[in-house]
Amino acid sequence: MRIVIAGAGRMGQAIAARLDTQDDLELVGTWQRGDDLATLVAASDVVVDFSLPDGTMQVLDAVTEHARPLVCGVSGLDDAQMARLDEVAARIPVVYDRNMSLGVAVLEHSVREAAKTLGKDFAIRISEVHHVHKKDAPSGTALKLGEAAAEARGEPGTGAITFESERRGEVPGDHEVVMQSATESLTFAHSVTTREVFADGALRAARWIAGKSPGRYAMRDVLFRD
């Protein structure tokens, strides 16, 4: 399978390095703004996007034109950009997720099931720790977990969920979800030690998305959907 990576930052580099160890995957090229994206996409089987929101808009145009599946892990897309992504997903298969970690996908699945089962009698607190360079807080992953819990409990938003954020050192990413009642507490936790986990998840998603019907999928679909 031939892969194009959009974005030459740390994640793009991590995915490219991981591709070197995969016998069934071939790197066609890495796209940066100003390069010939159309030619790269035309030569690919799947496009993996870890660029920036503006770059993602160019990627969406290219994958639509050439009918190529897309794996996108770009966070920070605004409402209009998400609407554009959904328009594209109506025509081609797209895996979009703010966190490509397999462990986080399992965590989200577990949080969703627990929140649905325990109900609103359990207060939910989500805490996260990241490196000092990360500007957004709460993290996209924390919000994703909160949205999963709220949706499972039939709540319109995450207003009933408490979020706590900390920035220190070079921590790649730690997340903890605590569900607590007056009589007991249940804790889920996930820690990242290297960015390779995101690269591995993105490549697993790339293998999975090939041949799928149009639609917007998430990492939970990659792991838990046939």
Side-chain angles (χ1 to χ4, degrees), residues 2 35 42 44 47 55 63 81 91 93 95 99-100 105-106 122-123 127 138 143 153 158 175 183 187 192-193 200 212:
R2 298 164 298 176
D35 294 343
S44 72
V47 176
V63 295
Q81 290 165 333
R91 302 176 61 180
V95 172
N99 191 312
M100 292 284 171
V106 173
F122 280 69
S127 58
L143 293 173
R153 298 201 301 190
T158 60
H175 292 85
T183 56
T187 300
V192 171
T193 57
D200 289 342
K212 290 294 187 292

Side-chain angles (χ1 to χ4, degrees), residues 120-123 179-185:
K120 298 180 181 180
D121 289 338
F122 280 69
M179 300 181 184
Q180 189 167 18
S181 72
T183 56
E184 60 182 323
S185 178

Side-chain angles (χ1 to χ4, degrees), residues 36-55:
D36 185 356
L37 178 59
T39 298
L40 287 173
V41 172
S44 72
D45 296 307
V46 177
V47 176
V48 177
D49 178 26
F50 276 89
S51 58
L52 294 169
D54 288 346

Side-chain angles (χ1 to χ4, degrees), residues 2 24 58 71 73 88 99 109 151-152 156 177 181 186 191 195 212 217 222:
R2 298 164 298 176
D24 61 327
Q58 297 182 53
V71 175
V88 171
N99 191 312
H109 181 78
E151 181 181 321
V177 181
S181 72
L186 177 64
S191 294
R195 289 181 178 273
K212 290 294 187 292
Y217 305 96
V222 175

Side-chain angles (χ1 to χ4, degrees), residues 53-77:
D54 288 346
T56 295
M57 295 302 101
Q58 297 182 53
V59 171
L60 291 176
D61 290 340
V63 295
T64 302
E65 179 182 356
H66 296 283
R68 296 295 189 268
L70 173 65
V71 175
C72 180
V74 176
S75 60
L77 300 181

